[in-house]
Amino acid sequence: MIPLAQGLRQARDRGEFLVVPYLLADRRRTPTVRHRLGILREAGAHAVEVGIPFSDPIADGPILAEAAARSLEHGTGWKDVLATVQAAATVLPVAVMSYVNPLLRDGAGRPLEELAEAGASALIVPDLAEDEARAWSDRARSHRIDLVRFLAPGADPDRARTVARSARGFLYLVSRYGITGRGGSNPAPPLKPLVETVRHTAPDLPILAGFGIRDATTAREAARLGVDGVIVGSALEEIWSNGDGDDPARKLVRALASGRSQSAFTRNPTRNPTRMPQ
Amino acid sequence: MPSRFGRFGGAYVPETLVPALRELERAWGSARRDPKFRAELSDRLRTYAGRPTPLYRAPRLTLRGKGAEIWLKREDLLHGGAHKINNAIGQAVLARRMGKPRLIAETGAGQHGVATAMVGAALGFETIVYMGERDIARQRPNVLRMRLLGARVVPVTTGSRTLKDAINAALRDWTENLPTTHYLIGSVVGPHPFPTIVAAFQSVIGREILRQSRAAWGGPPDLAVACVGGGSNAIGTFHPLLGQPTELLGIEAGGPAGHATGAASLTRGTPGVLHGSYSYLLQDPDGQVLETASLSAGLDYPAVGPEHAELKESGRARYRAVHDEEALRAFHWLAEDEGILPALESAHAVYAAVREARRRRGQHIVVTLSGRGDKDLEGLSA
């Protein structure tokens, strides 16, 4: 499997709107990982974010928090996580999502090495803001894993530049004040200027929006910010945990993938086709 | 302002929270140097909370200890019945300075929730308190008090349904409502700058102890004892004594006798990250946080403030666990010997102090009695 960063850039440069679904590692689901992701790839997914369940997922709303609690009840452990990453990596490039604490086991080096061996090429750590992220980024890099950075509402342009400069793999734009799958009633300050600052600072860096992306409409709204694609978690998890089968999942990814083409998106960012990958 | 205590602390949070934490750090940085802020704080502590609290020589408890003189720092006499008001007043005044109309808080035993509800009412905030369902069941009187004080109490039904999960819920609420809301965290836990700010507001306890002990026997205590859940009354007691020759002893909840962990993260845990800081944590080999056990809801927390982790590693303070039955015995000692019903949390520290007294004849031990036991009566009489 090609590294996630490369896969995302190639698809974007082909003009595709990027879709990255989230799949929580769960011992009971390990046998179905390849099948599920095969469906999503066919529907237009470009990579997958494999989640490591954690007992205290402070950035997650009810749907993903409950899914994590169930997964832990099912007895999901580190071996199951590696098995899930391994299976996923046969289908799509893999970014692993983990809170900090599960990555500290046996000292911080070992888990990253094992995730890399299983096929992960990027790492998303929701409770690792930029200031704490630097040491982790170097550590991840030594295992050829890109540590993804976040940009969130309320950031100032300086923060956007700092994050853009240090981001690897892609930049994760948090599209509103809130947690996964659920937002508060406070409108976020305009995100478009932040996206533009990132573009200016790191022109080749893919930007994906997440948090609250659940259908064609929310994908279109994200596309209007000028991002390259979206990440979808809670909406997909809801389909899977309801046992709704392959069809709704396929439809969801298709709807998201069409996010840009159906929108009034006019400014197709010009790309230099001869640019070398970072 | 340093964000770490040795290798502990830091701010392990979603990027979304960063602007709010920076805003808080700036606001605190300017407030602490502002004479008007300090004057308002000390006035409210005096006229509303009831400071200073007495340092009481406990003669009959001393007899029971058969050694050192035992003195009680009477935080239980404060308005609301616990030390929590010291921090709640401070942060509420800070929140008003930042222009936030809404306060959220987590609570375990309910004492911090009550303190937040009181200052929320007194300073005119909308107040929401997150409380684990299990804690709601075992600390009913405090739930009623919070509601009467105008706070909305939101039951938390996830995870272990105790303090840990209430903090998760409060952090999620904060992330959703940053522009309008201040998270009035109740202990020296959470991401930087919370542990530093809460320690500063609670240090009034130790400053008074030092002043009062000098007046009472002409020197600092030989030993200071305080219970540790998140660790705010202990940090408040210890901070001003760090430069003194005083021994510092923190008492964690050992849970039922024979329980593997209780809620004793410093004595039985390993380093890890929970709720935004790197500290000691009760966790399994996969880094999943364990469910804790303690009869006292206020100590029933699987992590601890990062400064305690540093004090433990540097050896400046010692930490020990006292189990449920021992704490209960100390509750009855204090009731029968001195006519004081302590909170079950504080009873852990009383037990350790009496045990320490024996080998310390001629010394002075100060126990911080962090709260009163009214909230626990229902469970005790059942």
Side-chain angles (χ1 to χ4, degrees), chain B residues 148-279:
Chain B
L148 291 171
L149 291 161
R152 191 154 67 84
V153 180
V154 181
V156 177
T157 57
T158 52
S160 57
R161 294 170 292 130
T162 59
L163 181 55
K164 166 182 87 96
D165 309 282
I167 296 181
N168 290 339
L171 282 169
R172 290 177 182 132
D173 177 312
W174 201 30
T175 312
E176 291 180 289
N177 298 295
L178 287 174
T180 59
T181 302
H182 174 65
Y183 178 16
L184 205 164
I185 204 163
S187 191
V188 286
V189 300
H192 174 74
F194 280 115
T196 299
I197 292 176
V198 178
F201 288 137
Q202 290 295 0
S203 291
V204 66
I205 303 173
R207 283 198 304 273
E208 287 179 9
I209 289 176
L210 196 54
R211 201 172 66 228
Q212 291 164 326
S213 72
R214 281 175 174 151
W217 63 83
D222 297 292
L223 173 69
V225 188
C227 63
V228 178
S232 72
N233 90 81
I235 282 290
T237 301
F238 294 172
H239 245 219
L241 299 173
L242 287 175
Q244 304 294 327
T246 306
E247 279 180 56
L248 307 174
L249 179 59
I251 301 300
E252 298 190 295
H259 192 275
T261 60
S265 38
L266 286 163
T267 42
R268 297 172 189 171
T270 50
V273 170
L274 180 68
H275 297 147
S277 65
Y278 183 60
S279 184

Side-chain angles (χ1 to χ4, degrees), chain B residues 72-206:
Chain B
L72 304 175
K73 180 57 174 168
R74 299 291 310 274
E75 296 297 293
D76 60 313
L77 293 178
L78 287 169
H79 180 42
H83 71 292
K84 295 293 187 186
I85 185 83
N86 302 329
N87 167 56
I89 289 180
Q91 284 198 53
V93 177
L94 205 52
R96 202 190 50 201
R97 251 177 108 92
M98 291 188 289
K100 312 260 178 180
R102 181 172 178 268
L103 294 179
I104 57 171
E106 83 294 340
T107 199
Q111 292 300 109
H112 176 58
V114 167
T116 306
M118 292 185 317
V119 299
L123 276 83
F125 287 94
E126 179 195 356
T127 307
I128 288 95
V129 179
Y130 289 94
M131 189 169 187
E133 219 175 29
R134 237 178 89 204
D135 292 338
I136 287 181
R138 56 179 166 171
Q139 308 275 223
R140 288 218 155 270
N142 274 344
V143 178
L144 179 61
R145 288 162 87 199
M146 286 184 266
R147 289 187 174 140
L148 291 171
L149 291 161
R152 191 154 67 84
V153 180
V154 181
V156 177
T157 57
T158 52
S160 57
R161 294 170 292 130
T162 59
L163 181 55
K164 166 182 87 96
D165 309 282
I167 296 181
N168 290 339
L171 282 169
R172 290 177 182 132
D173 177 312
W174 201 30
T175 312
E176 291 180 289
N177 298 295
L178 287 174
T180 59
T181 302
H182 174 65
Y183 178 16
L184 205 164
I185 204 163
S187 191
V188 286
V189 300
H192 174 74
F194 280 115
T196 299
I197 292 176
V198 178
F201 288 137
Q202 290 295 0
S203 291
V204 66
I205 303 173

Side-chain angles (χ1 to χ4, degrees), chain B residues 74 76 331 334-336 338-343 369 371-374 377:
Chain B
R74 299 291 310 274
D76 60 313
F331 176 92
L334 199 58
E336 289 157 24
E338 301 289 350
I340 296 170
L341 298 174
L369 208 60
R372 70 175 83 124
D374 309 34
L377 299 185

Side-chain angles (χ1 to χ4, degrees), chain A residues 53-58 60 72 77-78 101-102 105 126-132 150 152 159 177-178 182-184 186, chain B residues 4 10-16 18-19 22 164 168 171-172 175-177 179-180 272-274 281 283 285-289:
Chain A
F54 181 48
S55 51
D56 295 86
I58 55 170
D60 285 311
L72 292 174
W78 186 249
N101 204 50
R105 68 199 300 277
D127 54 348
L128 208 52
E130 180 56 29
D131 314 78
E132 302 286 355
F150 290 86
R159 188 73 170 179
Y177 286 119
R182 194 179 85 185
N186 297 285
Chain B
R4 286 186 183 264
Y12 296 88
V13 292
E15 181 72 23
T16 314
V18 169
R22 294 208 164 158
K164 166 182 87 96
N168 290 339
L171 282 169
R172 290 177 182 132
T175 312
E176 291 180 289
N177 298 295
T180 59
V273 170
L274 180 68
L281 189 57
Q283 55 185 330
D286 275 349
Q288 306 297 343
V289 179

